Each structure stands twice: as C-alpha cells, then as structure tokens.
Amino acid sequence: MSFKTLVEFESGGERCAADLYIPDSDHRAPVIVMAHGLGGTRAMRLDAFAERFVAEGYACLVFDYRHFGESGGEPRQLLDIKKQLEDWKSAIRFARSLSRVDSNRLILWGTSFGGGHVLATAAQDRGIAAVISQCPFTDGLASSLTLSPLTSLKLSALAIRDRIGALFGAEPLMVTTAGQPGTLALMNAPDVVHGYAAISTGTNAPNYVTARFALDIVRYYPGRKTPKIQAPVLFCVCDTDTVAPSGATLRHAQRTPNKEIKRYADGHFEIYVGEAFERVVRDQISFLKKTVPVD
C-alpha cells in the first residue's frame, strides 16, 4: 500500500505542482525526484513508473515544470532550459525537507529532455545518491540534425520572431511539439505522432510550446557534464531513437565514471508503454535495489 498526495513547492517565485508517493512503511524511504521531457507533464505516463517504484518501497516526487501541466507560470507552454534546471533544484530542495523520506538517499529520474536535465543537475549536486537517465537528450547538435535543413530554417525564423515579439510584450508564437514527417514541428520523425499520442492519451496536454525554444536547443549539451557525476548512473538507451540519437548518448554515457548502460531495440516513445515499458522499468528497479536499497 502507498499514499499519493498532491503537493506544491516554490520555484522562481512560481508554484510547481507535484504528486508525492509515500510507501506504507515504518522506515524513511529513499526518494526519487521525477520529471518529464520536452513539453511533457507528469500525467503522461510518469505515474506508471512511480507506482512501480513505490511498490518496491521508494518514495517518489513527480513534478510539472513551471509553465506546464498543473504548475503556475505565464506564458503557458514556455520551455526555458534555465528555468527547468532551476525547477529541478527546487524539487530536490523540497524533497530533502520532507520528514517521511531519507534525504540522504535522493535519486534523480528523468526522461527525454528531462533525462538530460538530471545529468546536468547531478554533475553539480554531490549529494545525489543515484541517477536514472531514460532515452536522454544529451547533445543539442545531434538532436537538431534529426530535422531536415528546411525544417530547421523555418523553425529558426519562427523562433526569432517569437523572441523579438516577447521583448515587446507580444503574444507568444507556438510551434508544434510532435508532428508528421515534413511538418513544422520540434519532433517530426515517422514514429513521433503515434508515440506521442500513446503517452498523452487521457491528458489535456497541449501539443505545442513557445517557438523561441528552437534557438536554445542546439546550444544545450548536458551530456558533456557526465564526467563530473559522482553518483552511479543508469542510462536507458533506445537504439532506434529518432529524437535523441543513441550514438551521441552512448558517447557521453561512456565518459560517466560510475555508469550502467542498458540498450533497447525500441523507439523513443515505445518504452513508456506495453512490453517495452515492462523491460525498462524492471531494469530500473534492479539498478535501484543495487545502488540505493530500501531498508
């Protein structure tokens, strides 16, 4: 049995909404801080992972970034790398303040864009006990090259218009998050629309973000921080990943001092559902039990 509570914490003057899962135990449990990827919210299948972890005796704090989901922040759907990294720090600080968890055994779990964020965060915080980085975004150039030159050019033009407009108080310009091949979207590989729909079913998550983000993605390289991470890291890498190419991820993963690498013949979105989900969550639980065992 476990207990799930809606909680909130402050980050950058705004409210972040989160689900706190506490196992029914007399002991203070290790706590896993969790968040999603590009444009994602905690309602997009993160509960499935958290429920499996809490069944093994781990507490989980699963949060939405500012400007997304049930968290505060205007404009909505603003994807800002610096703010999201601040949200991770705020979530960690909040988790460490909880009386029902063991703050000395704090684990980071991130997926996709969040999988990159946990690497950058763990490289700065030596108090992290372990990290799970699932199908992670590690290399801005590698991910940018998954789009055609024409799409990249159109995205850049829209992003520049959005950023200039923001300086003058204009309404944000949005870009589709997951689109069909050839369309103007941040992700438009053949498997993207179906995969994104599979994890969005039953949610009200918009399929768009502010266009200005396209100017930042190529300059973000969280994978370069891996040599500085002291905690053990599990990399869950999808060999056929069309969003976060596995070649770049594996190069960065190999430079991590204390790492375990699991590879899957699945796509970027497949590991959230079905048999692929069962495989990856089983490996993640095994890693947790080895590195941060429950009392």
Side-chain angles (χ1 to χ4, degrees):
M1 182 182 294
S2 63
F3 303 93
K4 175 183 172 182
T5 308
L6 178 63
V7 297
E8 59 183 51
F9 57 89
E10 185 271 338
S11 184
E14 299 286 353
R15 176 186 58 84
C16 282
D19 290 321
L20 176 62
Y21 297 78
I22 299 291
D24 185 11
S25 170
D26 294 331
H27 300 284
R28 291 195 302 160
V31 58
I32 308 173
V33 180
M34 305 173 61
H36 222 303
L38 195 155
T41 69
R42 70 191 198 280
M44 296 166 69
R45 289 288 294 170
L46 294 199
D47 57 338
F49 288 90
E51 287 168 2
R52 294 292 288 271
F53 298 149
V54 76
E56 299 293 335
Y58 295 87
C60 295
L61 178 71
V62 192
F63 72 94
D64 284 337
Y65 299 110
R66 279 176 285 171
H67 306 278
F68 289 89
E70 294 183 316
S71 292
E74 294 291 339
R76 303 306 297 167
Q77 301 302 110
L78 174 65
L79 209 167
D80 184 294
I81 294 171
K82 182 179 178 180
K83 284 189 173 185
Q84 292 196 347
L85 290 172
E86 289 174 351
D87 292 346
W88 273 100
K89 292 178 181 179
S90 298
I92 291 168
R93 185 165 54 249
F94 176 73
R96 285 175 171 154
S97 74
L98 298 170
S99 60
R100 295 286 304 278
V101 308
D102 185 347
S103 60
N104 292 318
R105 293 186 292 165
L106 190 145
I107 302 146
L108 303 184
W109 185 100
T111 187
S112 192
F113 210 60
H117 288 337
V118 294
L119 300 175
T121 302
Q124 294 182 331
D125 189 334
R126 297 191 175 187
I128 301 302
V131 180
I132 296 176
S133 184
Q134 177 175 284
C135 55
F137 171 98
T138 59
D139 192 293
L141 179 60
S143 288
S144 296
L145 290 176
T146 63
L147 300 173
S148 71
L150 180 59
T151 298
S152 295
L153 183 63
K154 290 180 178 179
L155 276 175
S156 297
L158 183 63
I160 291 170
R161 287 172 52 204
D162 183 37
R163 181 147 292 170
I164 292 174
L167 296 175
F168 294 94
E171 287 294 312
L173 298 177
M174 300 293 177
V175 63
T176 300
T177 306
Q180 296 288 352
T183 62
L184 187 62
L186 293 174
M187 300 179 289
N188 65 4
D191 63 328
V192 163
V193 169
H194 175 76
Y196 194 83
I199 66 173
S200 302
T201 300
T203 75
N204 296 318
N207 183 23
Y208 53 81
V209 298
T210 50
R212 68 196 74 167
F213 168 71
L215 297 176
D216 301 325
I217 188 171
V218 74
R219 296 184 288 114
Y220 187 40
Y221 291 83
R224 292 179 178 175
K225 305 291 182 65
T226 55
K228 298 180 180 179
I229 302 175
Q230 295 188 345
V233 182
L234 172 64
F235 291 90
C236 298
V237 183
C238 296
D239 286 337
T240 59
D241 200 317
T242 60
V243 175
S246 60
T249 298
L250 291 169
R251 286 195 299 272
H252 292 301
Q254 290 293 349
R255 298 166 63 234
T256 310
N258 186 358
K259 77 273 188 181
E260 182 176 341
I261 301 172
K262 292 290 186 179
R263 299 176 64 173
Y264 306 91
D266 302 298
H268 187 81
F269 294 98
E270 289 180 290
I271 57 174
Y272 295 93
V273 296
E275 293 181 5
F277 163 77
E278 294 296 335
R279 286 191 293 270
V280 73
V281 78
R282 184 166 56 244
D283 287 342
Q284 291 175 4
I285 290 170
S286 176
F287 170 79
L288 290 170
K289 288 183 174 180
K290 285 186 296 184
T291 57
V292 192
V294 174
D295 288 335

